[in-house]
Amino acid sequence: MCSLAGNGVGPNSAWVSSLSMGMIFFCCPIASVFTDMFGCRKTAVVGAAVGFIGLMSSSFVSSIEPLYLTYGVLFACGCSFAYQPSLVILGHYFKKRLGLVNGIVTAGSSIFTILLPFLLRVLTDSVGLFHTLRGLCIFTFILFLASFTYRPLVPNARDKESGTKGGHRFSLFSRRKFGPPQKVFNFAIFKGTAYAVWAVGIPLALFGYFVPYVHLMKHVNERFQDGKNKEVVLMCIGITSGVGRLLFGRIADYVPGVKKVYLQVLSFLFIGLMSMMIPLCRVFGALIAVCLIMGLFDGCFISIMAPIAFELVGPQDVSQAIGFLLGFMSIPMTVGPPIAGLLRDKLGSYDVAFYLAGIPPLIGGAVLCFIPWIHSKKQREIDKTTGGEKMEKMLENQNSLLPSSPGIFKKESDSVI
């Protein structure tokens, strides 16, 4: 969408795309609250409808200023409300093969990463920007229809309190009692140390994670002086990212419990190293190899995000767990690439920016290494406490039976006599 906006409405249009991308992730915590209160289906349907309205209204503007509202806010918020439930609903239907299912679902975005730029170029050259936006509304309308298929099977906390099941339907106009903010937002998930570390480690790694994806095209133009090469680089990242989502999604199904985090550690390790190797590539073929590896482990990181969230907090709290994480991710997405751009302006090249971009993924991966140990320690404490309570309950039951035993035997002996 960045190239779309840039083709039609002037140099400031890049800010529209930046605002849109940041809002998609920033609104995810709010979308997760709506998912908990109203369910995946209604949240996704309303989100797709709002996104459709935002995209359609963007096709009728005549200047850049209204796009900040229609595309940067309205369309982005709609996408956020449609995207977040799609990560949650899979866990309602799949457990054993959740990693593979997430890989298949997220691989669709890789396909569009490869094909959509060519489609957009053809459409904008033939019918113009605004007719292209109207054509893209077809995809949003398909998303609107697909959202009706979301049928939650796991009851959320509000349904459990009211004694209803996750699939129970209620009227859109029924009166619902909303609690105070501390109960609407489930901050209790941060009491789990393992999740808290995960929610800190992922955004920490992403301060450098998005830098290559934003500035790699300009680096290719400066280094190799060939505008056609940048499309090949994008295609390589998209192809291997799709392969990585399918491959590592399947592998994650064989990794027990929270140890799936080690796959994310591995992905951040390779992404950080590949970012540092970009400035070292003096031959275009070497850069292609680096991008192929980077795309592969990008797919690994994306495909196992939801399965790890289910392992850390369970199906009841996974909606807001994913929502908070995506909200935190909006900060490095917004801050990291502009800092890299400032370094390029000061130093005259992207070399230092790419070297520094490789450091946060390595640090974030190191932080994530502690999660399995923290989680297993917590589980041992819970098992120990539960075991002690079970033993005390058994002893209480035995003690309650002992005094009544002589009376029972006496009654039996009297009846025999």
Side-chain angles (χ1 to χ4, degrees):
M1 296 306 299
C2 183
S3 60
L4 246 182
N7 285 337
V9 287
N12 292 329
S13 59
W15 286 101
V16 177
S17 296
S18 299
L19 175 63
S20 177
M21 183 60 67
M23 287 297 294
I24 288 175
F25 286 88
F26 182 76
C27 291
C28 279
I30 303 174
S32 67
V33 173
F34 278 78
T35 301
D36 278 349
M37 292 194 300
F38 299 106
C40 294
R41 178 189 295 170
K42 294 182 179 180
T43 303
V45 167
V46 173
V50 172
F52 179 87
I53 295 171
L55 193 59
M56 181 61 74
S57 59
S58 298
S59 68
F60 291 99
V61 301
S62 57
S63 61
I64 184 67
E65 287 78 13
L67 283 177
Y68 286 102
L69 174 63
T70 59
Y71 187 82
V73 176
L74 198 61
F75 173 70
C77 290
C79 290
S80 179
F81 275 68
Y83 172 67
Q84 199 274 342
S86 70
L87 298 177
V88 177
I89 193 65
L90 295 177
H92 290 222
Y93 287 86
F94 302 94
K95 177 61 178 176
K96 187 176 181 181
R97 296 288 182 264
L98 182 58
L100 176 60
V101 171
N102 272 277
I104 294 173
V105 172
T106 56
S109 62
S110 296
I111 297 175
F112 277 89
T113 299
I114 301 168
L115 300 179
L116 198 57
F118 299 99
L119 176 63
L120 293 180
R121 186 182 301 108
V122 172
L123 290 175
T124 51
D125 291 342
S126 58
V127 299
L129 169 66
F130 298 113
H131 287 291
T132 300
L133 288 173
R134 292 164 196 164
L136 291 177
C137 289
I138 297 174
F139 294 108
T140 314
F141 184 71
I142 294 174
L143 178 61
F144 172 77
L145 296 178
S147 300
F148 282 99
T149 64
Y150 294 179
R151 182 175 177 271
L153 300 180
V154 179
N156 55 40
R158 191 174 293 273
D159 289 330
K160 290 182 72 177
E161 290 176 2
S162 59
T164 60
K165 294 183 179 179
H168 181 67
R169 299 182 180 180
F170 53 84
S171 172
L172 282 173
F173 303 101
S174 61
R175 295 182 178 179
R176 298 183 63 82
K177 188 176 180 180
F178 297 99
Q182 65 268 24
K183 291 188 178 181
V184 172
F185 289 94
N186 185 13
F187 296 113
I189 59 177
F190 290 98
K191 294 181 180 179
T193 310
Y195 173 77
V197 173
W198 191 56
V200 171
I202 295 293
L204 180 62
L206 296 185
F207 274 100
Y209 175 86
F210 285 102
V211 170
Y213 298 95
V214 174
H215 296 288
L216 184 59
M217 302 303 101
K218 296 178 182 177
H219 172 73
V220 170
N221 289 335
E222 293 179 359
R223 177 64 59 87
F224 300 100
Q225 304 296 325
D226 189 353
K228 296 180 180 179
N229 286 332
K230 63 181 181 180
E231 296 180 356
V232 178
V233 172
L234 272 178
M235 185 179 296
C236 291
I237 293 177
I239 292 173
T240 54
S241 179
V243 173
R245 297 176 196 199
L246 294 172
L247 175 63
F248 287 101
R250 187 73 177 102
I251 293 174
D253 291 331
Y254 293 100
V255 180
V258 184
K259 291 184 179 180
K260 293 180 177 66
V261 171
Y262 289 130
L263 292 176
Q264 280 191 330
V265 173
L266 184 67
S267 67
F268 284 139
L269 173 63
F270 275 91
I271 289 172
L273 293 177
M274 293 304 106
S275 297
M276 293 178 175
M277 291 183 65
I278 290 175
L280 302 177
C281 296
R282 305 297 176 182
V283 181
F284 187 69
L287 182 62
I288 289 294
V290 168
C291 291
L292 289 172
I293 298 174
M294 182 178 293
L296 185 69
F297 287 95
D298 168 77
C300 172
F301 162 67
I302 293 174
S303 64
I304 61 175
M305 187 183 303
I308 291 175
F310 273 92
E311 295 291 347
L312 289 175
V313 300
Q316 296 292 342
D317 299 323
V318 73
S319 176
Q320 294 203 36
I322 295 176
F324 279 123
L325 179 65
L326 295 176
F328 294 152
M329 287 169 56
S330 67
I331 299 173
M333 284 184 63
T334 306
V335 174
I339 292 177
L342 290 175
L343 289 174
R344 190 265 171 216
D345 293 339
K346 294 291 184 181
L347 303 176
S349 72
Y350 285 103
D351 291 359
V352 174
F354 284 126
Y355 288 137
L356 295 178
I359 297 176
L362 298 178
I363 296 175
V367 172
L368 297 184
C369 288
F370 293 96
I371 292 178
W373 175 76
I374 294 172
H375 188 265
S376 61
K377 182 181 178 182
K378 184 67 175 179
Q379 286 298 119
R380 286 195 299 268
E381 293 177 356
I382 294 174
D383 293 340
K384 186 177 180 180
T385 304
T386 305
E389 292 177 353
K390 287 182 179 180
M391 183 63 68
E392 290 179 1
K393 192 172 182 180
M394 290 174 61
L395 292 174
E396 289 177 359
N397 291 336
Q398 291 179 359
N399 292 333
S400 63
L401 290 174
L402 286 176
S404 60
S405 297
I408 296 174
F409 294 143
K410 183 177 181 180
K411 184 177 290 186
E412 289 180 352
S413 61
D414 291 340
S415 62
V416 173
I417 295 174

